[in-house]
Structures are given as C-alpha cells and as structure tokens.
C-alpha cells in the first residue's frame, strides 16, 4: 500500500542517494509576477558543496548559525522600507540546511523593479533556502519517519517520468491541525502538505515530488497573534531528481507562493502577486570557479549580494549547463522600458 511504499523509500535513501558530499554548479532564479505580469527578477550562478543523504540532527546547529547576522555586517543593509512585499522564506516556515552545505555565488544579474505598487520585495534565504526543500535529504514532512502516522498515503497509478517507470503515492494530512506553530530550533512537527511522491519501481528512489500547503486557513492563528506576518494564499513545492553516476541527485527545485492583497498594521497592498523561486543543478562542472560565500542567515537576500554581472561567465554557464532561459513572456514584461541586458549592467553598477 502507499504507506509501505513510502517506508521502503525512506529505508533505501542511503542506498539510492549519495553518501559523500559532492559539488554541483547551479542557476538560481527568483521572479515576481504582479497581476500576471513579471515585474522583478534576480538570478545567480553558483557552485555548491552539497552534503550526503540523509541529514539528521542538523536543525539546532543550523538554527544558531541562522541568527549569526555578523557574517554579513559588511554588506547587508538594514533597510526599513516604507512599503515592502513580504516574500519571506520560500516555504513560509523556516526549513534549515546542514551548516556544511555551502553556496558560493559566481555572478549575479538583476532587473529593475517594475512593481506598480512601488513595493520593495523582501525575499530571504536565497538558493540555500530552496535546497532546504529537499525533503528526501532532510527527511522532512511527509518523508519524516516521525510524521508517518500523521499522513494518509494512497497508492496511485504507474506512469513514465523521463522514461522511468514510476509508481505514484498520494498523501495528505490525516487531520488538519487547528493551531500550527513552529519552534525555531526544531523541525516542523505538523502535517502541512498534500501532494504526490513518484517512486522508481525498481529501487523505490524518489524521482519527483510535488506538494502544496493542505489548507492555508489553518494558519490563521498567525494572523491573529502576529499581524505583522502574512501567510501566503498558497505555497507549491516541486523537486525533481535524476540518476547521475549510479546515485540519485537533485535536478531542480521550484517553490511558488501566492500573495493576495493585504491591509494590516504593517502591510498595505492590493494587487495579486506570485513569487517563483527556482534552482537548477549541474553536478560536477568546473572545479576552477571561485565565488563569494552566501549563507542562509536572518534577512539575507540575493538582491543585496555584492557580486558583479559578468556576461561572458553567463554565456559559458548556459552553454555547459543547459539551463532554461528566461521565458519569452517574462522577457517581454521586463523589457517594457529598458532592454534586460542594459538593466543587468545598470543594476550591477548601482549595487
């Protein structure tokens, strides 16, 4: 049945996924859509030291490191924006990495802010915040052995994903929690997500999972006790893996949040916003590339990261890594006033 398939998949994580740290190149992208139109984009080329599977007993150390704001004292400005778009953490709640997971930014490029409501986005955590959504590696939520009794698993149909025969397992909370909260130094202990896990029928490796917050209305306690926070109208998470040199590695992570117009003590905006964060992996890559370390600490965001835009490096990365380009419609939206290449150069000089 579905529960047994998930248990077998968890049992085989060490067999199917890397047991040694590995290096990967990557492309990180964050975009904001206002009323359906792309109005803001940041991107980064990076190299990453990625720790083995699974990670256990990492949260407390990572929590202490997260609040070490002194690391960014030289460049992280404390900005008291008059009007802010509260993107916050990718999954709203704080999910941590192992402190040994390292990201170095090689080059960045950033568009102008074309948001009509003149909001300054606040997107925290950057690429490391996305890797925390690797629920196989961190055995989180519906893949957490301690939460299996809180989820209902149902075996679905067999299907092909990238020519791999998979079996689908659907999951949802057995009971929606009425009061959800998080102790910052602990893993999430509530069943938050509903979705589907796709398992390789040969070895039970996770090939893909996709999930969404089961019922955002259960988070209303945040709006009552902490009106300065905004819980997104929806959060969708999807992660794909591929087999690379006999082990499964992450291929891409995507998280999307939807924010509806809000008026409260701190926030005041009326438009519909969609925040999309993407991270694409290219295991291996060049060993010669060096960058500046980006840490996932409180208030860290890519927009303020002081790494130059270098067109020649971007051309080389896209040629070797086969990363997806910015979409045609997104490019059209962003070039309403100025060509993107010119924006990248201008923003680079400004920051």
């Amino acid at each position: 049945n579905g529960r047994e398939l998930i248990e077998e998949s968890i049992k085989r994580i060490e067999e199917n996924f890397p047991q040694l740290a590995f290096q990967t190149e990557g492309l990180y992208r964050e975009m904001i859509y206002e009323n359906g139109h792309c109005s803001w984009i940041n991107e980064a080329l990076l190299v990453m030291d990625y720790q083995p599977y699974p990670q256990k007993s990492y949260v407390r150390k990572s929590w202490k490191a997260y609040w070490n704001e002194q690391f960014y004292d030289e460049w992280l400005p404390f900005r008291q924006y008059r009007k802010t778009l509260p993107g916050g953490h990718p999954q709203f709640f704080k999910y941590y990495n192992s402190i040994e997971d390292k990201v170095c930014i090689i080059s960045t490029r950033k568009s102008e802010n074309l948001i009509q409501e003149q909001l300054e986005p606040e997107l925290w955590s950057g690429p490391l915040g996305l890797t925390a959504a690797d629920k196989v590696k961190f055995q989180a939520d519906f893949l957490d052995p301690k939460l299996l009794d809180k989820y209902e698993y149902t075996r679905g149909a067999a299907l092909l994903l990238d020519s791999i025969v998979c079996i689908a397992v659907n999951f949802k909370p057995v009971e929606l929690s009425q009061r959800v909260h998080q102790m910052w130094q602990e893993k999430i202990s509530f069943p938050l997500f509903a979705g589907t896990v796709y398992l390789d029928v040969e070895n039970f490796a996770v090939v893909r999972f996709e999930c969404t917050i089961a019922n955002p209305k259960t988070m209303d306690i945040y709006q009552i006790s902490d009106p300065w926070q905004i819980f997104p109208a929806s959060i969708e998470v999807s992660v794909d893996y591929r087999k690379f040199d006999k082990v499964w590695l992450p291929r891409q992570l995507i998280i999307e949040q939807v924010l509806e117009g809000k008026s409260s003590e701190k926030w005041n905006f009326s438009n519909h916003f969609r925040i999309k964060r993407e991270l694409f992996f290219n295991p291996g890559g060049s060993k010669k590339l060096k960058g500046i370390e980006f840490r996932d600490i409180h208030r860290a965001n890519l927009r303020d990261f002081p790494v130059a835009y270098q067109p020649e490096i971007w051309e080389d990365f896209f040629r070797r890594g086969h990363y997806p380009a910015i979409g045609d419609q997104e490019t059209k939206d962003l070039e309403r006033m100025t060509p993107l290449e010119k924006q990248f150069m201008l923003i680079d000089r400004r920051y």
Side-chain angles (χ1 to χ4, degrees):
N1 59 39
R3 165 77 177 257
E4 292 169 339
L5 289 168
I6 293 297
E7 289 176 336
E8 188 65 24
S9 180
I10 293 172
K11 188 187 305 182
R12 296 201 191 188
I13 287 176
E14 294 186 15
E15 174 186 327
N16 289 321
F17 290 84
Q19 295 304 290
L20 297 174
F22 63 93
Q23 188 176 76
T24 175
E25 290 181 358
L27 166 68
Y28 172 71
R29 178 180 291 152
E30 52 190 30
M31 297 180 289
I32 295 178
Y33 299 79
E34 182 181 22
N35 293 337
H37 297 286
C38 189
S39 301
W40 195 82
I41 187 170
N42 293 329
E43 293 181 298
L45 301 176
L46 55 90
V47 289
M48 181 183 304
D49 291 327
Y50 210 65
Q51 297 305 302
Y53 289 63
Q55 288 290 311
K56 301 176 181 179
S57 303
Y58 61 91
V59 173
R60 189 169 291 273
K61 292 180 181 178
S62 299
W63 165 66
K64 290 181 179 179
Y66 175 74
W67 290 100
N68 180 21
E69 297 186 46
Q70 294 180 353
F71 181 79
Y72 287 146
D73 275 351
E74 293 183 1
W75 65 266
L76 181 63
F78 181 78
R79 295 187 174 186
Q80 195 66 40
Y81 297 121
R82 186 171 59 87
K83 294 183 69 177
T84 304
L85 182 68
H89 303 300
Q91 300 177 83
F92 182 80
F93 295 100
K94 182 57 191 165
Y95 286 79
Y96 296 98
N97 301 83
S98 152
I99 60 173
E100 289 81 17
D101 287 314
K102 304 291 185 184
V103 164
C104 288
I105 304 296
I106 307 301
S107 180
T108 63
R109 60 186 190 184
K110 306 155 187 174
S111 77
E112 295 175 339
N113 182 353
L114 300 179
I115 296 176
Q116 295 177 1
E117 290 202 79
Q118 298 182 334
L119 302 171
E120 188 66 34
E122 212 173 56
L123 305 186
W124 298 342
S125 300
L128 276 175
L130 248 65
T131 62
D134 186 345
K135 299 184 187 299
V136 178
K137 176 178 175 178
F138 297 106
Q139 292 188 300
D141 298 309
F142 47 88
L143 295 178
D144 185 342
K146 296 180 180 179
L147 293 184
L148 292 180
D149 290 338
K150 297 184 179 181
Y151 279 96
E152 176 185 320
Y153 301 91
T154 306
R155 177 172 175 161
L159 71 161
L160 281 175
L161 283 179
D162 293 333
S163 303
I164 300 168
V165 181
C166 298
I167 187 74
V169 179
N170 302 309
F171 59 88
K172 63 181 181 180
V174 172
E175 183 178 353
L176 293 174
S177 301
Q178 296 303 309
R179 183 183 175 90
V180 176
H181 63 277
Q182 177 185 17
M183 298 296 290
W184 280 82
Q185 70 275 26
E186 297 177 1
K187 288 179 69 174
I188 295 293
S189 58
F190 296 88
L192 298 175
F193 290 94
T196 304
V197 179
Y198 301 93
L199 305 176
D200 185 333
V201 296
E202 292 187 0
N203 52 35
F204 299 96
V206 175
V207 178
R208 173 183 171 84
F209 69 78
E210 52 198 24
C211 58
T212 185
I213 292 289
N215 183 6
K217 291 184 178 180
T218 62
M219 315 302 168
D220 285 347
I221 186 65
Y222 271 94
Q223 311 308 313
I224 297 172
S225 60
D226 295 307
W228 56 272
Q229 299 192 69
I230 292 181
F231 192 85
S234 68
I235 301 175
E236 296 181 357
V237 182
S238 65
V239 181
D240 289 87
Y241 302 86
R242 67 174 174 180
K243 206 165 188 179
F244 185 89
D245 195 21
K246 299 182 180 181
V247 294
W248 291 85
L249 302 177
R251 181 175 64 177
Q252 66 178 31
L253 298 94
I254 301 175
I255 299 181
E256 295 191 49
Q257 294 181 3
V258 171
L259 296 176
E260 302 289 0
K262 176 74 174 180
S263 179
S264 68
E265 294 179 12
K266 181 175 181 180
W267 314 111
N268 185 18
F269 59 92
S270 57
N271 288 341
H272 175 281
F273 290 93
R274 180 164 63 95
I275 301 170
K276 186 175 185 179
R277 296 169 166 103
E278 303 173 311
L279 181 60
F280 304 96
F281 293 80
N282 180 30
S286 173
K287 304 294 183 182
K288 300 179 181 180
L289 292 170
K290 303 295 181 182
I292 300 178
E293 184 178 357
F294 182 100
R295 292 187 186 179
D296 178 15
I297 67 169
H298 184 51
R299 298 184 62 87
N301 64 85
L302 183 65
R303 189 74 171 186
D304 292 323
F305 205 72
V307 180
Y309 171 54
Q310 302 173 66
E312 65 282 358
I313 293 182
W314 283 84
E315 292 175 6
D316 183 55
F317 254 69
F318 272 79
R319 184 174 60 253
R320 290 187 290 105
H322 307 289
Y323 301 112
I326 299 172
D328 292 341
Q329 186 59 53
E330 283 80 1
T331 300
K332 182 179 178 181
D333 290 341
L334 291 166
E335 291 186 335
R336 279 172 267 174
M337 300 175 64
T338 310
L340 263 178
E341 190 66 22
K342 187 175 181 179
Q343 293 183 47
F344 296 153
M345 300 298 291
L346 289 172
I347 299 296
D348 178 49
R349 286 199 293 268
R350 188 182 307 168
Y351 281 85

